[in-house]
Amino acid sequence: VGCCDGRPAAGARARERKCRGARATMHKWISKTGKGSFKYQFSLRAISLTLAREVLHGLPANAVLQIVCKRGSKVAETREFVCAGEQTSLDGLMSMICTLYREPDRHARFEGKEATLIVQLICAGRRPVVIGRATLDLAAHAAVTPVSLVLELQLFREEGAMAALGLLRLNVSSRWLKNYDEGTSYASARDETLSLSGGGLGQSGYASDASIGAFSSRASSAGGSSAGSDAGG
């Protein structure tokens, strides 16, 4: 809401000053001669899974499924759940800490950090069978302030396939771990974002800032696990 003279309201100006201060702090972390590295925690909470009828026809009755997030050697997964039919409602969490990199230029964006999401069928005594997969660039959803948004990811049999086999809807949250300590256990990024209520590094929700490469895209578990961080993030 703006003032009658066209200037932003006092609250908006205060929030913008806070974001500018946080951006300046982040810029100080980048070497003038090399890339800056930043630890981020990403929390993926599945909301629902929709499967095409052709997929459902190939599943056994009361099929047990699981959602897995992979990024290099890191793996986070939900608890197993029973497929409820064409659409299954979910509520769980997969958490992963990654290292993001960007050039020293103030307007540079984070380098891509692609993760793979897999929906798999649990088979007793055998390896799980992949039903569908999707890719997600985690770096596209990182900003200086906490981020939380709902995405819808189409599932495909394999990379490059044309026909979608389903849709995974999940909430993606991220936060910058400014004072990261490998021995510390961190709450999920989503819970932290909600508890900040505009405090901490900045507002919750979208944090659009070209200088750190915040993106927006359209792309939305039953309990889960978290994957820690390593040097390769």
Side-chain angles (χ1 to χ4, degrees), residues 105-128:
D105 184 276
R106 184 177 294 274
H107 300 289
R109 295 179 173 181
F110 285 126
E111 295 180 356
K113 186 71 66 169
E114 193 170 274
T116 301
L117 288 157
I118 296 172
V119 178
Q120 60 186 20
L121 171 66
I122 303 301
C123 306
R126 294 188 294 128
R127 295 181 62 180

Side-chain angles (χ1 to χ4, degrees), residues 144-228:
V144 66
T145 51
V147 172
S148 182
L149 68 162
V150 175
L151 306 178
E152 292 181 343
L153 302 179
Q154 288 188 313
L155 299 168
F156 298 91
R157 182 79 65 189
E158 56 190 19
E159 188 174 351
M162 299 297 292
L165 301 178
L167 190 71
L168 177 61
R169 191 166 187 258
L170 65 153
N171 178 274
V172 177
S173 301
S174 70
R175 59 170 175 157
W176 175 28
L177 302 177
K178 180 180 176 182
N179 300 308
Y180 175 73
D181 180 355
E182 191 170 351
T184 300
S185 177
Y186 294 93
S188 73
R190 176 180 182 272
D191 295 338
E192 179 70 9
T193 298
L194 294 177
S195 67
L196 284 173
S197 299
L201 291 175
Q203 292 177 270
S204 60
Y206 284 103
S208 181
D209 171 24
S211 69
I212 60 172
F215 294 72
S216 63
S217 69
R218 193 193 78 85
S220 274
S221 255
S225 64
S226 62

Side-chain angles (χ1 to χ4, degrees), residues 47-51 56 83-89:
I47 298 172
S48 64
L49 172 65
T50 303
L51 296 176
L56 293 174
C83 179
E86 189 170 340
Q87 181 169 311
T88 302
S89 296

Side-chain angles (χ1 to χ4, degrees), residues 14-64:
R15 287 193 294 270
E16 177 58 25
R17 285 196 299 271
K18 183 181 294 183
C19 282
R20 284 201 301 268
R23 291 196 292 268
T25 299
M26 174 173 272
H27 189 65
K28 292 177 182 178
W29 285 51
I30 301 178
S31 166
K32 295 296 184 182
T33 58
K35 297 178 182 178
S37 62
F38 304 88
K39 291 291 185 183
Y40 270 82
Q41 181 178 29
F42 295 91
S43 298
L44 311 179
R45 186 180 296 272
I47 298 172
S48 64
L49 172 65
T50 303
L51 296 176
R53 292 183 180 179
E54 62 183 274
V55 176
L56 293 174
H57 291 161
L59 297 178
N62 299 317
V64 177

